[in-house]
Coordinates of all heavy atoms in Angstrom, one line a residue:
R1 N 18.9 68.7 22.6 CA 17.7 69.5 22.3 C 18.0 70.5 21.2 O 17.2 70.7 20.2 CB 17.2 70.2 23.6 CG 16.6 69.3 24.6 CD 16.3 70.0 25.9 NE 15.5 69.1 26.8 CZ 14.2 69.3 27.0 NH1 13.5 70.2 26.4 NH2 13.6 68.4 27.8
A2 N 19.0 71.3 21.4 CA 19.4 72.3 20.4 C 19.6 71.7 19.0 O 19.2 72.2 18.0 CB 20.6 73.1 20.8
G3 N 20.3 70.6 19.0 CA 20.6 69.9 17.8 C 19.4 69.4 17.1 O 19.2 69.5 15.9
A4 N 18.4 68.9 17.9 CA 17.2 68.4 17.3 C 16.4 69.5 16.7 O 15.9 69.3 15.5 CB 16.3 67.7 18.4
H5 N 16.2 70.6 17.4 CA 15.3 71.6 16.7 C 16.1 72.3 15.6 O 15.5 72.8 14.6 CB 14.8 72.6 17.8 CG 15.7 73.5 18.4 ND1 15.9 73.6 19.8 CD2 16.6 74.5 17.9 CE1 16.8 74.6 20.0 NE2 17.2 75.1 18.9
T6 N 17.4 72.4 15.7 CA 18.2 73.1 14.6 C 18.1 72.3 13.4 O 17.9 72.8 12.3 CB 19.6 73.3 15.1 OG1 19.7 74.1 16.2 CG2 20.5 73.9 13.9
A7 N 18.3 70.9 13.5 CA 18.3 70.1 12.3 C 16.9 70.1 11.6 O 16.8 70.2 10.4 CB 18.7 68.7 12.7
T8 N 15.9 69.9 12.4 CA 14.5 69.8 11.8 C 14.1 71.1 11.2 O 13.5 71.1 10.1 CB 13.5 69.3 12.9 OG1 13.6 70.1 14.0 CG2 13.8 67.9 13.3
I9 N 14.4 72.2 11.9 CA 13.9 73.5 11.4 C 14.7 73.8 10.1 O 14.1 74.3 9.1 CB 14.1 74.6 12.5 CG1 13.1 74.4 13.6 CG2 14.0 76.0 11.8 CD1 13.3 75.4 14.8
A10 N 16.0 73.6 10.1 CA 16.8 73.8 8.9 C 16.4 73.0 7.7 O 16.3 73.6 6.6 CB 18.3 73.6 9.2
L11 N 16.0 71.8 7.9 CA 15.6 71.0 6.8 C 14.2 71.3 6.3 O 13.9 71.3 5.1 CB 15.7 69.5 7.2 CG 17.2 69.0 7.3 CD1 17.3 67.7 8.0 CD2 17.8 68.9 5.9
V12 N 13.3 71.6 7.3 CA 12.0 72.1 6.8 C 12.0 73.4 6.2 O 11.3 73.7 5.2 CB 11.0 72.1 8.1 CG1 9.7 72.8 7.7 CG2 10.7 70.7 8.6
L13 N 12.9 74.3 6.6 CA 13.2 75.6 6.0 C 13.7 75.4 4.5 O 13.2 76.1 3.6 CB 14.2 76.4 6.8 CG 14.7 77.7 6.1 CD1 13.5 78.7 5.9 CD2 15.7 78.4 7.0
L14 N 14.6 74.4 4.3 CA 15.0 74.1 3.0 C 13.9 73.6 2.1 O 13.7 74.1 1.0 CB 16.1 73.0 3.1 CG 16.6 72.4 1.7 CD1 17.3 73.5 0.9 CD2 17.6 71.3 2.0
S15 N 13.0 72.7 2.7 CA 11.9 72.3 1.9 C 10.9 73.4 1.6 O 10.4 73.5 0.5 CB 11.2 71.2 2.7 OG 10.1 70.6 2.0
C16 N 10.7 74.3 2.5 CA 9.8 75.4 2.3 C 10.4 76.4 1.3 O 9.6 76.8 0.4 CB 9.6 76.2 3.7 SG 8.5 77.6 3.6
A17 N 11.7 76.7 1.3 CA 12.2 77.6 0.3 C 12.2 77.0 -1.1 O 11.8 77.7 -2.0 CB 13.7 77.9 0.7
L18 N 12.4 75.7 -1.2 CA 12.4 75.1 -2.5 C 10.9 75.0 -3.0 O 10.6 75.1 -4.2 CB 13.0 73.7 -2.5 CG 14.5 73.7 -2.3 CD1 15.0 72.3 -2.1 CD2 15.2 74.4 -3.4
S19 N 10.0 74.9 -2.1 CA 8.5 74.8 -2.5 C 8.1 76.2 -3.0 O 7.4 76.3 -4.0 CB 7.7 74.5 -1.3 OG 7.9 73.2 -0.8
F20 N 8.6 77.3 -2.4 CA 8.3 78.6 -2.9 C 9.0 78.8 -4.3 O 8.4 79.4 -5.2 CB 8.8 79.7 -1.9 CG 7.9 80.1 -0.9 CD1 8.0 79.6 0.4 CD2 6.8 81.0 -1.2 CE1 7.1 80.0 1.4 CE2 5.9 81.4 -0.2 CZ 6.0 80.9 1.1
Y21 N 10.1 78.2 -4.5 CA 10.8 78.3 -5.7 C 10.0 77.6 -6.8 O 9.9 78.1 -7.9 CB 12.2 77.7 -5.6 CG 12.9 77.5 -6.9 CD1 13.5 78.6 -7.6 CD2 13.1 76.2 -7.5 CE1 14.1 78.5 -8.8 CE2 13.7 76.1 -8.7 CZ 14.3 77.2 -9.4 OH 14.9 77.1 -10.6
V22 N 9.5 76.4 -6.5 CA 8.7 75.6 -7.5 C 7.4 76.4 -7.8 O 7.1 76.5 -9.0 CB 8.4 74.2 -6.9 CG1 7.3 73.6 -7.8 CG2 9.6 73.4 -6.8
L23 N 6.7 77.0 -6.8 CA 5.5 77.8 -7.1 C 5.9 79.0 -8.0 O 5.2 79.3 -8.9 CB 4.9 78.2 -5.8 CG 3.6 79.0 -5.9 CD1 2.5 78.2 -6.6 CD2 3.1 79.5 -4.5
G24 N 7.0 79.6 -7.7 CA 7.5 80.7 -8.5 C 7.7 80.4 -9.9 O 7.5 81.2 -10.8
Q25 N 8.2 79.2 -10.2 CA 8.4 78.7 -11.5 C 7.1 78.6 -12.3 O 7.1 78.9 -13.5 CB 9.2 77.4 -11.6 CG 10.7 77.5 -11.3 CD 11.4 76.2 -11.6 OE1 11.0 75.1 -11.1 NE2 12.4 76.3 -12.4
F26 N 6.1 78.2 -11.6 CA 4.8 78.1 -12.3 C 4.2 79.5 -12.5 O 3.7 79.8 -13.6 CB 3.8 77.3 -11.4 CG 3.9 75.8 -11.5 CD1 4.4 75.1 -10.4 CD2 3.6 75.1 -12.7 CE1 4.5 73.7 -10.5 CE2 3.7 73.8 -12.8 CZ 4.2 73.0 -11.7

């Protein structure tokens, strides 16, 4: 359970952070 939520949250967090970065570039 801990591994499942840690992996998915970490990867969605990465996607979210990079999305903010892309918006910031615009």
